[in-house]
Amino acid sequence: ILRDKQSLDRLRAMTDEARTAVLPTLTQDPILNKLKQDLLAIENQIAELSLRYTEEHPEIKALRLKADLINKEMTRQTDRLLMALKAALQGEFNVQNSTLVETANPPGAPSGPDRTRIILVITMAMFCAMILVVLFLHYFHRMVSEAGDLKEIPDLAFLGYVPNIELPRQKVANEHFFLVNEMQNNSQLSDAIHDVRNNMLFSMPKDRNKIVICASVLPNEGKSSVAAMLAISMAHLGEKVLVVDADMRNPTVHESFGKENGPGLSNYLIGKEAWRDLLVPVDFAPTLKLLTAGSKAPNSTALLSSTPLLKLLQEMKEDFDHIIFDVPPLLHIPDAFILGENVDGMFFVVRAGQLDIKVLRQIKDKADTLKVNLIGAIINRVNLNSVFKGYYKAYGTDKYYVTKKTPAK
């Protein structure tokens, strides 16, 4: 194509356009010539259509697109011809500008990325993240679930567990009464309540264990049912026991005994009734009496701090061996603390897995500030088989604990 080295030097000094114009290889290439003819024909058509239409006309746009495609194909064909020309020139003039340093061998494995290492790093990162999440939940959102959790709260005794009792599949009209009835039939539940009763009585001086408060921090922790079952357990000892529903906002203790919420504590405190005339007997426990909450009172806090209440507490001590007050949840309602200043002690009912340890610690500190005697805490609705690592499954429910079939009267 080029006959001497001077021609090659002149070719290298030319611009791309000049090279393209003078090289016979390019000017005589049939493919390039055909593409040029096609492009010229299209440009003529565009010129004719432009006399009648604007650039936005579909036919003009289609021709413009076709012209662009031809230009691109011409560029590719020109590049192919130039590469072939350079290869031919290198062979003819023996042009070499490289030195063999090392023979290139095909690699046996990809140089990167190292997928095994990446997978290991990601796995370790995910594992560490999971550990951090578990630690965060463990230390910052710990719930009271077992006796060991209460050790983090100074001077708060553990009074015992109350097992979780599953409700029957059919809907139960009165869950509170169902649990009390189940206590009469279920030895596991009754034994747990008796243990709580004994722990509570042994933790208090004999001369100061008459009036106690059954409280919870949050709603739906089961305090009303536990108060009713504790009262029944104390009555089984032959003691004269009184249960007082002091939750005048949302009374429920009467449901545990299958009774109606008739005139009760609020009626006495406003001076309308004598409290002894308001007592309701419990059929299956002759020594147990119930004082219902009575009419709902929006100012229950004021009633519980009134003079008639102090007189009531003194008279109750004379008539009964043990009095249990059921009060509203004390996270936002101060009734329990107001009443707690005038009784022998208060204990908490905590539903397993529902109450944060930090919240319970704050409530306990508040009780200490108000000089309320805290007896301890009962953990309610516990899976005993899980807590005792299979003890109840292996030895308890199958051998020692028998569910009776006799319903409560």
Side-chain angles (χ1 to χ4, degrees), residues 330-376:
L330 44 71
L331 183 60
H332 302 296
I333 302 175
D335 293 8
F337 292 123
I338 293 174
L339 187 60
E341 298 174 358
N342 302 305
V343 302
D344 297 323
M346 176 166 58
F347 62 90
F348 296 136
V349 175
V350 179
R351 181 172 176 175
Q354 179 168 306
L355 180 63
D356 195 300
I357 294 177
K358 294 185 295 183
V359 177
L360 183 59
R361 185 185 295 112
Q362 293 171 1
I363 295 298
K364 196 265 181 185
D365 293 341
K366 185 175 181 179
D368 291 341
T369 302
L370 297 174
K371 307 299 182 184
V372 176
N373 178 32
L374 285 181
I375 307 168

Side-chain angles (χ1 to χ4, degrees), residues 149-165:
D149 298 329
L150 297 178
K151 294 180 180 180
E152 299 185 18
I153 305 177
D155 302 323
L156 184 63
F158 170 64
L159 299 178
Y161 293 114
V162 176
N164 183 40
I165 302 299

